[in-house]
Amino acid sequence: MKPFTWLAPDTTAGAVAMLREHAPDARAIAGGQSLLLALKDRSARPTHLVSLSGIDELTGVRTADDGSLVVGAATTYAVLARASLAGWHGVLAEVAGDLADRPVRNRGTIGGALCTADPRYDMPAFAIGVGAGLRVSGASGDRAVAAEDFAEGAGVTALGPDEILTAVVLPPLAAWDTVAFEKFRHRVFDAAIVSVTCALRQGPDGTVAETRLAVGGATPVPVTAPVAAALLAEGASAAEVGTRAADEVLPGGTTGGEAVRYRHELIRSLVRRAVDRALSDVRTV
Amino acid sequence: MQKVTLTVNGREVTAEIDERTLLLEFVRDTAGLTGTHNGCMEARCGCCAIEVDGDVVKSCNVLAVQVNGAEVTTIEGLSPQKLGPVQQVTTQTLAGVYEPLDAIRSSVEDLHPLQAAFHRCHALQCGFCTPGMVMVLKDYLEENPAPCRDDVRKAIAGNLCRCTGYQHIVDAAMEAAEVMRGAGATTTDD
């Protein structure tokens, strides 16, 4: 670890001011579960660390007036997993409670996962899958970014050097009837090799009105598969949607290298499972 | 340098430390409690697990400054410590020719239910991973008093043991869970 100066502001504005003052080599740290690993192997060498854990406004989960769920960026996975959330918002708690391991979930935060932008992490893929919005505070004011526009590459985000991710906003419950999240990993505490989120809304006549499919882990940033999702709305089977999604996310995946073929196959299976589960959910509701 | 104060097992420890000091290093080197083990330093093995304000964390992946002011419980804090200062190291103590419980001048009743169950079920061989296992299971069982064996295996997913094959550790956790629930009679064999 390279030496750094420790700064612990108690407001978002204070943190932004510190990041700006010491840009570009200052970094924000929330739980630090990813950043500390990077500090130890010196792949990150910040001169200043700005701690977000003392900022109360960045933690906690609340429902906004319009029904959307506002999750503070520095809310830990453990808090999310224990939260009692209604309807498909509850899938956020399930995802948060089934990643990494118990001690890591007690420190790791949802915003940390998004800002680390590791392609294998569940939270970015889930946020994109349900069409979440992100709130960002910076020296030049606040702005909103769609989750799918946030990650720009593996480990690269749309966040400026003096900006902080403050909240993840899940759309209101009415946006989807059900959300299914599926992932594959070798060991329980491993990051997913591939994860799939399938969000689904029915029309008044009981047919599928809108769907959204997002695939994480297979590409440098999680991506949506709109063509496959549209196929589902047209009444295609889960298996057909899976095959289409795999080709859409990894074109030519069946003839690529071993790792690509493996992921292609995982997308096919996981999309099929997620779609199956989402369909059976809405039919039993 | 940064001044950090932690309450470690009820004892307040204040020190002027380098910002880079990990919580693990603070507990071992500054507070002098070496029961918390340094296994991998990469948050993989779980040997360094301790409780910070009631939540178990991997102390090798937390900076001491991050938890300034917190209450920390380590493996030493689970049962009253009756270990006297080590007078001298003899070949006998090195060879382990003593009853472990005699050595800490304690009895099974003094141990935390998990420690007692680990002892009874022989849930350790080399013992390196044990402090982490116990701390994670304590945190888990306090929240989930009636787990099944699969739940326990998932709970200790972030703890690696290279000796036991986990079988006896799960046995011990199930037994401790029963004691902690107060359901089963505490078996006082041997």
Side-chain angles (χ1 to χ4, degrees):
Chain A
M1 230 184 277
K2 290 289 184 183
F4 54 80
T5 305
W6 180 257
L7 301 166
D10 42 24
T11 60
T12 308
V16 167
M18 286 172 181
L19 285 175
R20 187 179 182 80
E21 187 186 344
H22 303 292
D25 291 323
R27 284 284 296 269
I29 178 169
Q33 295 303 285
S34 297
L35 183 54
L36 272 168
L37 295 177
L39 290 175
K40 285 184 218 163
D41 66 20
R42 298 185 182 177
S43 55
R45 300 161 171 238
T47 55
H48 293 74
L49 280 185
V50 180
S51 169
L52 305 182
S53 56
I55 305 176
D56 291 339
E57 64 210 56
L58 292 183
T59 58
V61 184
R62 63 179 194 283
T63 309
D65 294 338
D66 65 350
S68 56
L69 191 76
V70 183
V71 182
T75 311
T76 62
Y77 295 127
V79 167
L80 288 176
R82 283 195 290 263
S84 48
L85 304 171
W88 66 263
H89 286 164
V91 181
L92 174 68
E94 283 170 32
V95 173
D98 190 30
L99 51 81
D101 54 56
R102 196 173 177 80
V104 171
R105 288 197 295 269
N106 276 334
R107 296 288 308 169
T109 65
I110 181 171
L114 284 154
C115 294
T116 303
D118 189 308
R120 304 164 303 164
Y121 286 1
D122 293 350
M123 280 302 167
F126 176 79
I128 292 172
V130 300
L134 307 179
R135 289 186 189 162
V136 171
S137 278
S140 49
D142 297 351
R143 63 186 177 114
V145 190
E148 56 193 299
D149 300 329
F150 189 67
E152 296 182 336
V156 186
T157 67
L159 220 52
D162 55 4
E163 285 187 316
I164 291 173
L165 174 67
T166 56
V168 181
V169 184
L170 303 194
L173 282 178
W176 306 111
D177 285 320
T178 189
V179 172
F181 181 85
E182 289 281 348
K183 65 171 171 179
F184 182 83
R185 58 204 157 158
H186 285 304
R187 294 165 299 188
V188 175
F189 61 94
D190 282 337
I193 298 172
V194 167
S195 68
V196 168
T197 312
C198 172
L200 201 147
R201 185 164 52 82
Q202 279 186 308
D205 55 351
T207 56
V208 175
E210 194 186 347
T211 53
R212 197 175 160 87
L213 275 172
V215 177
T219 45
V221 296
V223 290
T224 54
V227 178
L231 212 58
L232 181 59
E234 287 160 19
S237 73
E240 285 167 340
V241 177
T243 306
R244 186 64 219 230
D247 289 339
E248 196 178 347
V249 174
L250 289 177
T254 45
T255 52
E258 201 174 319
V260 178
R261 290 204 306 278
Y262 185 58
R263 281 174 173 76
H264 187 271
E265 180 57 34
L266 277 177
I267 300 171
R268 219 164 64 82
S269 309
L270 293 176
V271 168
R272 193 187 66 229
R273 273 185 225 169
V275 167
D276 263 340
R277 201 146 59 82
L279 286 176
S280 70
D281 275 357
V282 288
R283 277 170 196 152
T284 53
V285 165
Chain B
M1 298 293 270
Q2 191 95 16
K3 192 174 170 185
V4 169
T5 303
L6 293 177
T7 310
V8 186
N9 300 334
R11 178 169 62 104
E12 204 168 272
V13 182
T14 304
E16 190 87 13
I17 54 165
D18 189 303
E19 287 84 351
R20 293 172 288 180
T21 307
L22 299 169
L23 180 56
L24 170 70
E25 294 162 342
F26 189 95
V27 165
R28 285 181 61 90
D29 304 338
T30 308
L33 296 169
T34 52
T36 304
H37 289 165
N38 172 359
C40 69
M41 291 288 262
E42 293 182 348
R44 287 179 189 278
C45 75
C47 296
C48 64
I50 63 175
E51 272 189 9
V52 175
D53 289 333
D55 289 324
V56 71
V57 304
K58 290 182 172 175
S59 63
C60 75
N61 214 27
V62 179
L63 295 168
V65 287
Q66 275 184 290
V67 294
N68 193 2
E71 294 251 356
V72 171
T73 307
T74 70
I75 187 75
E76 289 95 339
L78 288 196
S79 57
Q81 289 296 299
K82 296 181 180 174
L83 181 64
V86 177
Q87 302 297 332
Q88 61 186 124
V89 177
T90 66
T91 46
Q92 279 222 320
T93 57
L94 283 175
V97 188
Y98 60 88
E99 279 294 308
L101 289 174
D102 289 351
I104 59 169
R105 294 180 208 139
S106 190
S107 62
V108 146
E109 289 76 31
D110 286 332
L111 294 176
H112 185 277
L114 266 164
Q115 293 173 309
F118 265 64
H119 174 236
R120 206 162 41 235
C121 298
H122 196 76
L124 58 140
Q125 286 175 30
C126 83
F128 194 87
C129 70
T130 311
M133 289 280 181
V134 171
M135 294 310 291
V136 170
L137 282 169
K138 173 180 179 281
D139 183 69
Y140 174 72
L141 293 178
E142 281 169 357
E143 200 176 303
N144 307 275
C148 67
R149 292 183 72 91
D150 269 2
D151 296 339
V152 169
R153 282 182 176 271
K154 269 199 168 169
I156 54 170
N159 292 72
L160 301 181
C161 172
R162 300 291 81 172
C163 307
T164 67
Y166 303 97
Q167 202 67 29
H168 289 185
I169 296 172
V170 179
D171 290 348
M174 297 305 285
E175 213 177 293
E178 203 173 307
V179 176
M180 287 167 76
R181 283 199 301 273
T186 317
T187 47
T188 43
D189 52 12
D190 63 40

